[in-house]
Amino acid sequence: MNLANQAANPGPAPFFLAATASAFFLGLGYVLWFNPRGYGARLMRLWYSASPYQVPDGHALAWRTRFFAVVYFVGGTAVATAAVLGFLGKFPPS
């Protein structure tokens, strides 16, 4: 096997990685959306523990959790679309 040829054509490996990443993002979005006051609040508090901002409480935290859920859903859907198109051989467009 020629190493230059292997580097030029990595095969489906990047798309498997993209499918795994999309599953992670969609799962995180699911947890944040459907449980914003339970596990979602815990994840958001973990996020805010690494930032210099004060952790919002109650209603504001639930709304921010839902906002981040939408962001993760959109990101996960975009990555999943790239993965599916890659498996079908239509991504990247040539």
Side-chain angles (χ1 to χ4, degrees):
M1 177 185 298
N2 188 350
L3 287 179
N5 186 20
Q6 184 180 6
N9 185 10
F15 304 114
F16 281 116
L17 184 62
T20 304
S22 71
F24 172 76
F25 287 135
L26 291 173
L28 188 58
Y30 177 84
V31 167
L32 290 175
W33 183 264
F34 288 106
N35 195 359
R37 296 189 187 270
Y39 290 117
R42 289 181 190 171
L43 287 171
M44 291 298 288
R45 283 192 182 98
L46 179 67
W47 168 261
Y48 278 107
S49 70
S51 74
Y53 301 107
Q54 183 179 359
V55 178
D57 57 342
H59 189 70
L61 183 63
W63 276 105
R64 287 186 187 186
T65 303
R66 291 267 169 107
F67 172 74
F68 275 96
V70 169
V71 169
Y72 284 124
F73 276 133
V74 169
T77 303
V79 173
T81 303
V84 168
L85 290 176
F87 285 131
L88 295 175
K90 300 184 185 304
F91 187 84
S94 54

